[in-house]
Amino acid sequence: MKTDKEKVKSKILILATLSGGYLGADSAGQGNKEYAPNVYIFSVMTAAIFPPEFYIRALEKSVDAIIVMYSGSDCPYKGAAEHTAKMISQAYEMMKERGMDQRRLRLSAICTVCVDPFLEEVAQANELLDEIGPIERPVPAVTEAESVTA
Amino acid sequence: MTEPNEENKEKDVKNNSEEPITVHVDELKDAVEKEIADAGGEDIKIGVYVCQCGGNISDVVRTDLVAKELEKFPNVVVSRDFIFMCSDSGQELIKKDIQEKGINRVVVGSCSPFLHETTFRKAVSSGGLNPYLYTHVGIREQDSWVHADHPKEATELAVHLMEAGVAKARLLEPLKPTEIKAKKHALVIGGGIAGLQAALSIAKADLKVTIVEKSHFLGGRVAQWDTVFPTDEDARAVLNRVIEEVLANPNITIHTGTELIAAKGYIGEFNIRLRQQPRGVSEDFDGLDEAIKVCPVEVPDEFNFGLSKRKAIYRPYDGCVPSGAVIDWEHCTKCGECLKVGKKGSINLDETPHEFDITVGAVVVATGFDPYEPFKGEFGYGEIPEVITLPQLERILSKDGPTKGKLEVNGHPVHNIAMIHCVGSRQKEGVHKPQPDGKVNDYCSRVCCTATLSAAKQIHEHFPDTNIFDLYQDIRTYGRGHEDYYINASKNGVTFLRYFAEEIPEVTKSPEGEKNPVMVKVKDHLTWGYEVEVPVDLVVLAVGMMPTPIQDLIGMLKVSQGNDRFLLEVHPKLRPVETAIAGIVLAGTAQGPMTIREASYAGQAAASKVIAMLITGQVELEPFVAKIDPERCEGSGECVKYCPQEEAIRLETFTEDGRTFQRAVVSPANCNGCGVCVSVCPNRAINIQGWTLDQFDAMVEALAMEVSVLEDA
Ligand SMILES: Cc1cc2nc3c(=O)[nH]c(=O)nc-3n(C[C@H](O)[C@H](O)[C@H](O)COP(=O)(O)OP(=O)(O)OC[C@H]3O[C@@H](n4cnc5c(N)ncnc54)[C@H](O)[C@@H]3O)c2cc1C
């Protein structure tokens, strides 16, 4: 088990939807539930905006694990949840090609009061990072075909 | 950039005098227009504010060091920490810096955006800046409150999060809410208590309302109940008070026997096509009793939940609204017997449905619920005649029900009753049979516990010799006055037996010759799992609620359903009646199990949303919708192909410099910002305004930076 100091070296990015994960995180905060301080939470309106290469870029650049916390089948935007899942499975393919551990990217349905599931996701991601360590950079570059950045 | 001017100075004086800050909408709009026109090529000057939250943040996070660290970042002109950023003086700081230091982007690190994002947007506005040139960073719930044991790491985390906020702020652009004209007319779908209450409140605000009710009568399920908790009032008396007001309101038009067959448009202007089934019988028909007698068709009466039969010409109960009878077109054989009685010309068996259009600014969906229908054989239902549901019991207890209020089943009097709770609610996978969609009803239907105990109370009042055995998992008499029914049942000698979902009670037919026709076996956890056998005359299944099946409507309106199939709000606490589709709101049990009281206030809450939307005839929409970058769009059409919203995005043909090409065009009123188009565009030519991919890339990049504030201190 790594110390908290070491844990801080590896970074977990949480992309949390305003209708799901972000509120789950808020609820954890309101309950003063301690978790490791290597978790960076960004609010997103919906996670459907992220193309697969976004996740790859984020892993290449700065973070060692990403958890997309959305509201799953309770997503208020029709079709967005299914689309997010599709984009993430495409990202898995790209990770596989690059030899990245696919467990570094997770999609998780977190409700507005899901404190325990939220904490569990964070704990599991940290356990994983204890096991596999931070990403060794630089990561093989994104191929032409996959890169959409103009 | 906004320079301090005389007018602003004047406002300054006023704002220093502890009076609330007021900004006129026109002033605000002018500022927005100016900002949008000025955007591009301006120097980015960012103001960073780290809130101490009176120690809530600063007891863990060194807000002074965070502010100091942020000062070093490019474009940051001012960086401060302050005791309460949300206070008047905190907001004043922002305003002053906008005016005196010329900052044109603002980043505040404080509590959750759900608490104060709007506050700070307003502060930014009142400083004369576009309110969307603002980024909110959560460093309390997401940092100080969860990292109290790690102050150093918490401080570094705050720096990182704030830096990500600054990275986003650099790429912010001024945005303008979309403004559209709105019809001052609302549509309410469903004429149950929720829909009626919604319609009434909207109409009282002097807006026009059309109620569309699928059945031929108003009132929904409440009309089927006898006495309703928590007031023990006659259900129809409660309902009629509302219906009378609805009928008397000149702003309300009612179409019964009517359903939506098409819906297009957006908030402010939904074009709705309706189809109305004819009644076939005129209101002044004077031979109804005779017509019913001569009609040869008999079908199960749905109003009595199949406990009795009705004819193909019928009305559910005396006093229903509208009061006239109707023809059941599905079952009528057009034999013509009814035409021979009563006033000539009152019945027309050749009438056909008629279709018509209306245009409304907003829609309230109040389509209600259906009681759970047990499977054949579930607790003996459908196989043992003495097993009925709670709604059926309600009809039996009703003076105009199938037994005229007598407590009997199949002509036999009833002395011993078992009432089983949670039938079709709180189900467990693997224990209960799933619905056709493969899911069990794992939710609590909330109303049934009190409804069951209320029925028990009625039985004790009218049939005091009856013994009641109440088989429950948990008693959830949660509302005001509900617990009294539980206390009352205990006092009246109701025998409570507690079962667990994994060991559901067994209901079997008693052997021939037994005194009581049904045997109920239950492992009772009030007696430490003792197996109890209860011989009874009647078993009542307290069935739960399921949403009325409205798949066609869901398809037309593009609203979402939750995992439990009830319609889904944007946010259960903060936006509890709005759907993700602007202009469409929810009311009543279409959204989840509710009592009459809750359905009433849901209807009134939905109405207040509609009133706020339509009252000025103009709607302002959040600007967080898709936007095309015309430089990058090559007309691939992927966005159009994948967009889940109808008419939100389309390809249009353009000609420029003699070149003809296709480009995507967004209809902001139809776009709900779901973001699907963003991830499928091969050219990164489309973004959700205020939430762009470039912004997220920049934020992620900011996390790569090494931060070591405490060593610097
Ligand atoms: C057995 C039982 C007993 C109860 N007793 C009590 C009680 O004592 N006290 C209490 O507070 N609550 C009680 N309730 C709850 C109460 O019935 C509900 O709170 C109430 O009916 C909810 O009203 P509503 O308008 O949401 O839905 P509903 O009453 O279901 O009305 C919905 C209306 O929408 C119409 N509709 C459906 N689909 C469409 C469509 N596509 N187009 C147009 N119209 C449509 C329906 O025909 C119906 O008229 C009881 C419930 C049950 C099951």
Side-chain angles (χ1 to χ4, degrees):
Chain A
M1 186 75 183
K2 298 212 166 128
T3 64
D4 287 331
K5 192 175 163 63
E6 279 169 313
K7 269 187 191 163
V8 170
K9 296 284 172 221
S10 51
K11 295 182 177 132
I12 299 169
L13 171 63
I14 294 185
L15 296 165
T17 63
L18 287 172
S19 56
Y22 202 83
L23 281 141
D26 264 8
S27 301
Q30 281 149 14
N32 295 102
K33 304 279 183 189
E34 285 272 330
Y35 53 89
N38 60 340
V39 177
Y40 301 79
I41 304 174
F42 290 172
S43 63
V44 301
M45 215 165 89
T46 87
I49 64 165
F50 300 117
E53 47 280 351
F54 170 82
Y55 300 111
I56 307 295
R57 268 198 307 275
L59 291 167
E60 280 172 1
K61 279 183 187 162
S62 57
V63 296
D64 304 291
I66 304 174
I67 313 173
V68 179
M69 292 190 175
Y70 70 155
S71 33
S73 56
D74 283 349
C75 173
Y77 301 97
K78 207 172 170 63
E82 295 81 353
H83 187 78
T84 304
K86 199 165 123 193
M87 293 295 103
I88 289 199
S89 54
Q90 287 179 20
Y92 285 147
E93 286 304 309
M94 293 170 72
M95 291 172 82
K96 200 165 144 196
E97 283 163 23
R98 283 161 179 74
M100 273 184 188
D101 195 315
Q102 292 171 331
R103 290 174 297 171
R104 291 186 189 275
L105 174 61
R106 261 184 72 78
L107 176 63
S108 170
I110 297 287
C111 71
T112 57
V113 289
C114 285
V115 174
D116 289 341
F118 171 85
L119 296 172
E120 220 164 275
E121 283 293 340
V122 171
Q124 274 176 15
N126 265 316
E127 270 167 36
L128 175 74
L129 292 177
D130 282 351
E131 180 195 327
I132 63 176
I135 291 185
E136 282 178 28
R137 298 187 174 83
V139 181
V142 181
T143 62
E144 271 305 301
E146 284 160 352
S147 174
V148 295
T149 318
Chain B
M1 199 178 94
T2 317
E3 292 292 333
N5 55 25
E6 283 309 307
E7 205 184 316
N8 283 340
K9 274 186 210 149
E10 247 181 62
K11 262 193 259 151
D12 253 350
V13 174
K14 186 179 171 208
N15 292 338
N16 283 338
S17 65
E18 293 291 302
E19 273 185 42
I21 302 169
T22 357
V23 191
H24 292 290
V25 176
D26 287 346
E27 252 174 72
L28 231 161
K29 280 187 189 148
D30 289 348
V32 171
E33 302 280 3
K34 183 170 177 297
E35 209 71 44
I36 291 175
D38 291 352
E42 62 174 351
D43 281 348
I44 304 281
K45 293 184 177 177
I46 303 177
V48 173
Y49 305 86
V50 190
C51 183
Q52 297 167 3
C53 196
N56 272 294
I57 295 173
S58 57
D59 283 354
V60 177
V61 171
R62 287 282 305 268
T63 49
D64 56 334
L65 296 184
V66 177
K68 206 167 142 217
E69 186 69 15
L70 264 290
E71 231 167 39
K72 299 177 193 162
F73 288 104
N75 304 98
V76 175
V77 171
V78 54
S79 182
R80 313 172 183 277
D81 72 321
F82 191 70
I83 182 148
F84 280 115
M85 279 309 298
C86 60
S87 66
D88 282 354
S89 37
Q91 294 183 52
E92 199 56 32
L93 268 183
I94 298 176
K95 207 184 135 193
K96 240 171 135 190
D97 287 344
I98 292 172
Q99 293 171 350
E100 289 174 8
K101 296 193 186 305
I103 58 165
N104 51 23
R105 302 286 185 280
V106 173
V107 179
V108 177
S110 62
C111 53
S112 165
F114 289 106
L115 287 169
H116 280 307
E117 187 169 43
T118 317
T119 313
F120 295 126
R121 274 201 209 291
K122 280 191 186 145
V124 168
S125 264
S126 68
L129 205 60
N130 181 290
Y132 297 97
L133 295 175
Y134 167 74
T135 301
H136 192 103
V137 181
I139 57 166
R140 190 180 70 176
E141 285 81 349
Q142 272 71 5
D143 191 356
S144 66
W145 275 358
V146 286
H147 304 315
D149 294 346
H150 299 89
K152 178 178 178 296
E153 288 82 359
T155 303
E156 289 178 353
L157 176 63
V159 173
H160 263 134
L161 292 173
M162 293 294 290
E163 166 52 1
V166 167
K168 177 174 181 175
R170 272 188 209 109
L171 299 174
L172 289 176
E173 283 179 10
L175 301 176
K176 193 171 174 264
T178 312
E179 273 181 12
I180 38 181
K181 283 212 173 315
K183 284 262 174 312
K184 294 173 104 172
H185 186 165
L187 169 69
V188 174
I189 310 173
I193 192 76
L196 294 170
Q197 291 278 30
L200 201 53
S201 300
I202 297 168
K204 282 180 181 169
D206 219 13
L207 294 169
K208 297 273 177 236
V209 187
T210 297
I211 301 177
V212 166
E213 166 56 49
K214 183 176 70 175
S215 79
H216 284 284
F217 305 93
L218 289 179
R221 295 283 169 201
V222 176
Q224 291 174 285
W225 314 145
D226 183 55
T227 305
V228 281
F229 68 79
T231 47
D232 290 343
E233 275 168 287
D234 178 71
R236 295 209 192 124
V238 174
L239 192 59
N240 287 344
R241 284 212 291 277
V242 183
I243 291 181
E244 271 164 28
E245 266 198 85
V246 166
L247 295 178
N249 194 307
N251 284 333
I252 301 177
T253 308
I254 303 166
H255 299 292
T256 53
T258 306
E259 277 185 278
L260 265 75
I261 52 169
K264 268 188 189 310
Y266 41 82
I267 181 172
E269 192 172 319
F270 289 103
N271 299 306
I272 309 283
R273 173 146 278 234
L274 300 168
R275 182 185 290 139
Q276 184 164 38
Q277 297 297 333
R279 296 183 79 84
V281 186
S282 69
E283 190 99 14
D284 59 357
F285 179 51
D286 57 0
L288 183 60
D289 289 345
E290 192 61 17
I292 288 174
K293 211 182 277 172
V294 298
C295 174
V297 177
E298 264 197 342
V299 291
D301 185 353
E302 59 285 277
F303 193 76
N304 285 333
F305 297 103
L307 288 177
S308 61
K309 298 254 163 75
R310 66 155 169 79
K311 296 296 184 70
I313 179 167
Y314 74 102
R315 69 172 169 200
Y317 63 95
D318 284 349
C320 58
V321 180
S323 59
V326 285
I327 302 291
D328 170 354
W329 301 104
E330 196 191 335
H331 296 103
C332 173
T333 57
K334 300 201 178 178
C335 68
E337 286 301 311
C338 57
L339 299 175
K340 296 178 191 160
V341 300
K343 198 166 131 200
K344 289 277 163 274
S346 299
I347 298 179
N348 179 357
L349 297 180
D350 296 322
E351 264 191 282
T352 49
H354 112 104
E355 289 180 9
F356 57 105
D357 296 318
I358 59 168
T359 303
V360 295
V363 179
V364 179
V365 187
T367 47
F369 76 99
D370 276 346
Y372 170 82
E373 179 68 14
F375 291 106
K376 191 164 193 273
E378 188 176 359
F379 297 104
Y381 183 76
E383 288 174 350
I384 305 171
E386 292 82 6
V387 177
I388 62 168
T389 64
L390 181 62
Q392 287 177 322
L393 176 69
E394 286 279 344
R395 293 306 307 139
I396 288 176
L397 295 176
S398 178
K399 275 98 34 207
D400 64 2
T403 59
K404 303 277 173 273
K406 274 196 241 145
L407 186 58
E408 55 182 42
V409 57
N410 295 331
H412 302 297
V414 171
H415 297 296
N416 296 297
I417 306 179
M419 299 176 117
I420 305 179
H421 289 241
C422 296
V423 177
S425 306
R426 303 180 66 200
Q427 293 181 318
K428 290 230 154 47
E429 252 173 66
V431 176
H432 295 93
K433 189 171 163 184
Q435 292 294 308
D437 62 5
K439 288 185 269 192
V440 295
N441 299 347
D442 53 7
Y443 54 88
C444 167
S445 291
R446 303 172 80 248
V447 174
C448 4
C449 275
T450 313
T452 305
L453 296 172
S454 163
K457 184 177 174 199
Q458 299 311 315
I459 292 170
H460 271 129
E461 274 171 18
H462 297 108
F463 313 98
D465 295 338
T466 318
N467 300 311
I468 297 180
F469 301 88
D470 186 291
L471 283 67
Y472 72 100
Q473 291 190 44
D474 297 289
I475 295 287
R476 294 184 170 177
T477 45
Y478 64 93
R480 178 186 282 172
H482 295 203
E483 188 71 358
D484 295 348
Y485 288 87
Y486 178 52
I487 295 166
N488 187 290
S490 309
K491 277 194 192 142
N492 279 334
V494 170
T495 308
F496 287 96
L497 300 146
R498 187 174 188 196
Y499 73 95
F500 290 160
E502 296 77 15
E503 304 156 339
I504 50 178
E506 209 183 291
V507 178
T508 48
K509 184 134 195 70
S510 302
E512 207 59 45
E514 286 289 322
K515 192 165 149 255
N516 307 98
V518 197
M519 178 63 79
V520 180
K521 254 192 236 169
V522 57
K523 198 164 174 190
D524 171 36
H525 287 273
L526 296 180
T527 50
W528 302 278
Y530 194 78
E531 187 113 3
V532 181
E533 289 191 354
V534 192
V536 291
D537 308 312
L538 180 68
V539 173
V540 178
L541 307 178
V543 292
M545 291 182 171
M546 289 179 69
T548 309
I550 49 161
Q551 256 356 92
D552 48 345
L553 206 54
I554 288 171
M556 281 183 257
L557 300 176
K558 301 275 181 295
V559 290
S560 296
Q561 285 171 286
N563 216 15
D564 55 10
R565 307 176 208 91
F566 286 99
L567 296 179
L568 202 60
E569 63 287 323
V570 176
H571 188 277
K573 297 187 201 93
L574 303 169
R575 293 171 69 188
V577 295
E578 292 164 84
T579 68
I581 309 295
I584 302 184
V585 295
L586 307 174
T589 50
Q591 197 185 358
M594 293 182 193
T595 62
I596 297 169
R597 170 190 164 106
E598 290 160 345
S600 285
Y601 59 63
Q604 290 169 7
S608 68
K609 281 283 157 201
V610 169
I611 294 164
M613 281 176 216
L614 305 184
I615 198 78
T616 61
Q618 190 97 343
V619 187
E620 215 168 70
L621 298 181
E622 282 275 38
F624 307 133
V625 292
K627 189 184 176 193
I628 309 289
D629 178 346
E631 307 273 292
R632 285 184 176 177
C633 178
E634 290 179 358
S636 76
E638 290 299 290
C639 50
V640 181
K641 190 164 120 197
Y642 286 99
C643 174
Q645 290 307 118
E646 226 161 273
E647 295 183 15
I649 194 161
R650 63 189 183 280
L651 280 184
E652 270 187 19
T653 306
F654 292 82
T655 307
E656 260 173 40
D657 305 328
R659 197 171 63 90
T660 301
F661 56 90
Q662 290 212 303
R663 191 186 280 158
V665 174
V666 174
S667 160
N670 282 327
C671 175
N672 66 2
C674 77
V676 168
C677 55
V678 180
S679 52
V680 296
C681 177
N683 301 310
R684 206 155 162 156
I686 189 162
N687 261 302
I688 300 300
Q689 299 192 111
W691 302 88
T692 70
L693 276 181
D694 284 348
Q695 288 167 2
F696 280 106
D697 275 339
M699 290 166 77
V700 165
E701 212 155 310
L703 298 187
M705 240 164 295
E706 279 300 319
V707 172
S708 51
V709 270
L710 293 183
E711 274 103 76
D712 292 355

